[in-house]
Amino acid sequence: MSDRSFICGVGLTPFGRFEGSTPLGLMTAAADAALADAGLERNDIGGLIVGYATTMPHLMLANVFAEHYGLQPQHAHAAQAGGATGAMMLVLARHLAVAAAADNILVVAGENRLTGQTRNDTVKTLAQVGHPTLEVPTGATVPAYYALLAARYLHDTGCTERDLAELAVLMRRHAGAHPGAHLRAPIDVETVLASRPIAPPLKLLDCCPISDGAAAFVVSRNAHSDRCLPIAGWGEAHTHQHISSAPADVTCGARRAAGQALARAGRTIADVGYLGIYDSFTATVAMLLESTGFAQPGRAGRNAAEGRFSQDGQYPLNLDGGVLSHGHCGVGGGMAVVAEAMAQLRGEAGARQIFPAPRVAFTHVEGGVLSAHVSLVLEALG
Amino acid sequence: MGGCRVLLETCAQCGSGDALPRGFCAKCGSSNVSPREVSGAAVVWSFTVVHRPPSGDCSEDLPYGIALVDVGYGVRMMVRVPVELTIGQQIEIERTDLNAPPKFVRMLHSD
Ligand SMILES: [Zn+2]
């Protein structure tokens, strides 16, 4: 049995504020784009995995979407792992493909997270990531959970808020070259530092926006064309849910997942030509870059200022602007991180394209509060 | 000196402690667990200030501090605190309910 699997299609709606958009409508648009990209029809799809939508809670979202979209797959299920869901669905689709449970698996998620509910509801829903009796009653928010990690990270490494701001500036610069990005107006370090406090050391511009949007992939057993990209490596680690129960080494899950993915691909970080790293907050991407080995402890922000993560740098990072600027619509936000890696490997990223196109991309997303980690190594075909 | 106490659930089998009353030990699986009080002296592992509330309900309290603090048995807990605190600082907290976060009592002078 072949253990090969490929991502053969990708679809991304623009991210931003889209009044009147719906989860099923956004998912449909992304699915259409992914099928067209893969050169497949609805009836080619044998497996379906759908990411949760906070604006459309449902026990059976995959069946709901299958019915809406006109699919009757042999396998369908909905998945939840917070921000890590998108990449985890790709890992699951890979397993289905390798097990020959389906030839082509559609992976899709999207929601009107910005316009489908009030901002208060969003903040309140997300805060439930905390423990219901031990954390939520303190009045903590998701930014506060991450701020606790960020404050400790700054304390331990000597990294500064100014260093973190460099990452926000870089992501905004990258988003400027992506027509579908939510936030594209350039910002500078002083603007980030002067933005209003959310949960120190995190300020408004250290935090990703809430967006409407959707993303989809088609994962297949066979490569139908040279635009199909092998899933060369994958790794997961699930170390805790709540920040007060995190291991002493809070980012060890990222290190483990990354190590597994690179080992399975037979690659080292020196082989990597493009990085897609989840950046819900500036501190998130700093900690993840360092725990996965792409920056020394405390150095990620200064490395960004030095050009290490720019389009022409050693490790081009989130050239779509990351979730910090391309936008964050929940599960689809983490999927966009992978979508840009695909665009770069295929050499189809337009003004954002790295020359020559990278051969190996590493992506890492996490969910919860560094709770669920998924790393992927994607490669160009041939 | 007396000082405030913090209630935990502790395991007689492996000696670990837990902020949550599970009725069993998450480390070793033993059900030989019972409530036990430890010192309310806690060390601040990290600290932030909430400027924007999780819902409209508690906006009148803004801003307020949130800390992760370490107590006995290696247990880390979240606690609402004043807005001026530093990492490594010692504070006194109190907890009498296994189903609630501890409460901040006062700053302690560290040596
Ligand atoms: Zn035990």
Side-chain angles (χ1 to χ4, degrees):
Chain A
M1 189 170 72
S2 166
D3 67 352
R4 302 261 284 169
S5 64
F6 305 86
I7 310 183
C8 295
V10 57
L12 204 59
T13 70
F15 281 20
R17 173 180 290 278
F18 305 113
E19 298 291 348
S21 61
T22 63
L24 290 175
L26 290 162
M27 284 190 251
T28 295
D32 280 347
L35 284 178
D37 185 52
L40 296 174
E41 307 286 340
R42 277 174 168 72
N43 59 15
D44 294 319
I45 297 300
L48 174 67
I49 312 177
V50 176
Y52 70 93
T54 59
T55 55
M56 191 180 177
H58 196 283
L59 294 177
M60 300 175 66
L61 195 56
N63 286 70
V64 169
F65 179 75
E67 178 185 283
H68 177 78
Y69 195 56
L71 299 176
Q72 293 189 349
Q74 301 105 267
H75 178 88
H77 79 269
Q80 289 181 299
T85 307
M88 192 194 68
M89 293 194 294
L90 284 170
V91 173
L92 288 167
R94 177 261 170 214
H95 296 337
L96 288 171
V98 169
D103 289 340
N104 302 295
I105 300 105
L106 177 64
V107 170
V108 62
E111 63 173 295
N112 50 342
R113 186 172 279 200
L114 177 56
T115 61
Q117 57 195 344
T118 69
R119 186 165 288 264
N120 263 348
D121 285 342
T122 306
V123 172
K124 194 172 181 176
T125 301
L126 296 179
Q128 304 305 315
V129 163
H131 192 281
T133 61
L134 301 185
E135 294 178 347
V136 172
T138 65
T141 57
V142 166
Y145 300 137
Y146 276 90
L148 289 166
L149 289 172
R152 185 71 200 195
Y153 162 77
L154 297 184
H155 178 264
D156 285 343
T157 64
C159 172
T160 65
E161 291 186 46
R162 180 171 287 274
D163 295 336
L164 290 182
E166 294 284 359
L167 290 157
V169 170
L170 180 69
M171 291 304 105
R172 189 60 65 86
R173 192 166 83 227
H174 289 170
H178 195 300
H182 188 166
L183 302 173
R184 303 181 59 198
I187 52 175
D188 61 20
V189 167
E190 300 309 324
T191 316
V192 178
L193 291 174
S195 62
R196 69 182 168 81
I198 299 294
L202 302 177
K203 299 158 295 295
L204 183 66
L205 293 175
D206 288 295
C207 308
C208 68
I210 297 167
S211 316
D212 300 330
F217 299 108
V218 176
V219 174
S220 302
R221 290 179 66 199
N222 300 302
H224 328 105
S225 81
D226 62 4
R227 294 175 68 251
C228 297
L229 304 174
I231 300 176
W234 50 276
E236 288 186 59
H238 302 268
T239 52
H240 60 280
Q241 173 61 36
H242 307 109
I243 184 60
S244 34
S245 294
D249 176 2
V250 291
T251 58
C252 67
R255 197 176 63 243
R256 268 190 245 158
Q260 286 172 32
L262 289 164
R264 285 186 170 117
R267 298 289 186 181
T268 69
I269 61 171
D271 299 319
V272 172
Y274 177 76
L275 279 180
I277 309 286
Y278 187 68
D279 53 340
S280 52
F281 300 94
T282 51
T284 315
V285 66
M287 288 187 283
L288 292 177
L289 281 165
E290 294 165 20
S291 53
T292 53
F294 292 96
Q296 294 297 310
R299 296 292 306 185
R302 270 165 285 172
N303 286 164
E306 293 154 6
R308 183 182 179 92
F309 304 124
S310 301
Q311 187 181 18
D312 59 355
Q314 183 182 3
Y315 291 119
L317 168 73
N318 298 351
L319 292 179
D320 64 338
V323 298
L324 274 172
S325 283
H326 180 270
H328 201 340
C329 56
V331 177
M335 292 166 75
V337 170
V338 181
E340 181 66 10
M342 291 185 64
Q344 294 291 339
L345 289 169
R346 285 167 158 185
E348 297 175 355
R352 309 183 308 280
Q353 183 63 47
I354 303 163
F355 291 106
R359 305 291 301 168
V360 179
F362 173 87
T363 69
H364 187 92
V365 299
E366 60 90 15
V369 197
L370 301 180
S371 319
H373 294 269
V374 183
S375 295
L376 293 170
V377 176
L378 304 179
E379 301 193 358
L381 192 61
Chain B
M1 65 171 218
C4 292
R5 311 295 287 171
V6 166
L7 194 61
L8 301 176
E9 188 170 83
T10 59
C11 174
Q13 193 68 37
C14 76
S16 62
D18 198 335
L20 197 66
R22 293 174 221 270
F24 64 93
C25 173
K27 292 256 166 44
C28 76
S30 168
S31 48
N32 192 2
V33 293
S34 57
R36 174 180 291 211
E37 287 185 337
V38 299
S39 164
V43 178
V44 176
W45 184 80
S46 194
F47 166 68
T48 188
V49 176
V50 172
H51 288 265
R52 154 166 229 153
S55 64
D57 317 341
C58 49
S59 45
E60 69 276 9
D61 301 333
L62 291 173
Y64 49 83
I66 299 282
L68 280 173
V69 301
D70 292 332
V71 295
Y73 289 90
V75 171
R76 184 166 290 164
M77 281 186 288
M78 197 171 284
V79 55
R80 187 186 290 210
V81 292
V83 296
E84 300 216 355
L85 219 57
T86 54
I87 290 175
Q89 189 170 358
Q90 284 219 9
I91 63 173
E92 185 169 45
I93 60 175
E94 179 170 42
R95 186 183 193 221
T96 55
D97 180 354
L98 281 172
N99 288 299
K103 288 187 167 26
F104 172 84
V105 177
R106 64 189 174 108
M107 307 287 186
L108 294 176
H109 292 290
S110 33
D111 308 324

